[in-house]
Amino acid sequence: ELSKKTHLKEVAGIPLQVATVDNWRQIQSFEAKPDDLLICTYPKSGTTWIQEIVDMIEQNGDMEKCRRTIIQHRHPFIEWARPPQPSGVDKANAMPAPRILRTHLPTHLLPPSFWENNCKFLYVARNAKDCMVSYYHFQRMNQVLPDPGTWEEYFETFINGKVGWGSWFEHVKGWWEMRDRYQILFLFYEDIKRDPKHEIQKVIKFMGKNLDEMVLDKIVQETSFEKMKENPMTNRSTVPKSILDQSISPFMRKGTVGDWKNYFTVAQNEKFDEIYRRKMEGTSINFCMEL
Ligand code: PPS
């Protein structure tokens, strides 16, 4: 029974949805193929956005093809499970190659065959503060995730990594550290927002595609926040209210950089910056939080 009271269950210290944990063996034994492309994100970091960009590239800018089905169905979500429906792994197994898949898993929980097959990984990172705000609103409206409580409570839950898919810090660090050893294109939400054309060009190159300037411009236009918010194939409007209650907060909420300034108190900001410094010490990753 799915309800607001749904608890998360931990695997190797990472809280995940119970159905995912119950299906863990199938997930871990997933057989990747060398030509798989895996879209990887911490939740609320721009997954849907990069999925639409990747699909438009794959379809050579043909919007009709992108509208073939809702975005959640285009790229199987590896760890997704909701029996008796087919799991994410079932859907991936039924998909013809070359496959584009997605995950929120941290590196240490990824099915090992992705590494063994040297797949391509497209990672999108979003600054932690905006990510926290976005996740807070998502947990308010998502009826199958735990209630976030007050903002003050959620702030602690998030920095302690007690949210679905675990700690933002560990997730981002883990994927950042893998980038030199595997085929990983590491992108930032803030860069895509600032210069979508430039970042989309990187994705095109990474996917081994060659698209002309007009198609590129079209992709930039069609993947804007405004367009995706209106597009029923990307805005989650077909998901029942018993799962996503968009009257509480829309899935396509704001799509901006720096919304954290409307939520963080001065004290929270200082505390966060201190924790950030400690947790991210020694990594070369450079997030601009003063956005
Ligand atoms: S999920 O549930 O983890 O898959 O969510 P995810 O898609 O990763 O993240 C949702 C946030 O991304 C914003 N979004 C966009 N921003 C800019 N441009 C485009 N096109 C776009 N599409 C989605 C979405 O609004 C969520 O962020 P917030 O800050 O809550 O608005």
Side-chain angles (χ1 to χ4, degrees), residues 44-49 104 126 134 189 223 225 253-255:
K44 314 319 290 179
S45 300
T47 324
T48 313
W49 191 10
H104 287 321
R126 185 181 194 182
S134 183
Y189 179 101
T223 58
F225 177 75
R253 197 183 57 91
K254 279 196 181 171

Side-chain angles (χ1 to χ4, degrees), residues 198-258:
H198 185 253
E199 299 306 300
I200 292 170
Q201 263 166 332
K202 288 190 200 166
V203 181
I204 293 172
K205 188 165 170 241
F206 185 66
M207 290 172 70
K209 289 273 196 172
N210 203 345
L211 302 180
D212 63 47
E213 190 77 13
M214 257 173 59
V215 174
L216 175 59
D217 288 336
K218 186 177 171 191
I219 296 174
V220 172
Q221 284 163 24
E222 294 292 344
T223 58
S224 72
F225 177 75
E226 291 69 27
K227 280 283 177 88
M228 285 182 61
K229 188 178 171 75
E230 293 311 314
N231 181 350
M233 295 299 165
T234 54
N235 66 14
R236 302 288 206 275
S237 56
T238 59
V239 178
K241 202 173 172 176
S242 57
I243 297 177
L244 296 184
D245 188 346
Q246 303 217 34
S247 70
I248 297 174
S249 178
F251 183 84
M252 293 287 172
R253 197 183 57 91
K254 279 196 181 171
T256 58
V257 175

Side-chain angles (χ1 to χ4, degrees), residues 35-39 49-61 66 68 75 98-101 120-123 183-185 187 199-211 219:
D35 55 358
D36 286 341
L37 167 65
L38 184 63
I39 294 172
W49 191 10
I50 199 69
Q51 279 185 268
E52 184 73 350
I53 289 170
V54 164
D55 195 34
M56 281 207 79
I57 294 170
E58 186 69 5
Q59 309 306 333
N60 301 308
C66 291
R68 68 197 178 281
H75 308 127
R99 304 180 297 187
I100 300 173
L101 310 166
K120 281 187 184 171
F121 305 99
L122 176 41
Y123 190 86
Q183 305 189 74
I184 300 180
L185 178 65
L187 299 180
E199 299 306 300
I200 292 170
Q201 263 166 332
K202 288 190 200 166
V203 181
I204 293 172
K205 188 165 170 241
F206 185 66
M207 290 172 70
K209 289 273 196 172
N210 203 345
L211 302 180
I219 296 174

Side-chain angles (χ1 to χ4, degrees), residues 69-89:
T69 180
I70 54 171
I71 194 109
Q72 306 92 291
H73 290 172
R74 288 184 236 160
H75 308 127
F77 188 11
I78 290 302
E79 64 269 31
W80 192 87
R82 194 172 291 152
Q85 297 173 47
S87 67
V89 169

Side-chain angles (χ1 to χ4, degrees), residues 161-189:
K162 297 297 176 195
V163 295
W165 290 277
S167 156
W168 178 95
F169 305 97
E170 300 309 323
H171 203 282
V172 170
K173 261 195 305 197
W175 279 99
W176 178 253
E177 278 156 18
M178 287 293 185
R179 80 197 183 290
D180 293 331
R181 293 159 52 194
Y182 293 94
Q183 305 189 74
I184 300 180
L185 178 65
F186 201 103
L187 299 180
F188 294 89
Y189 179 101

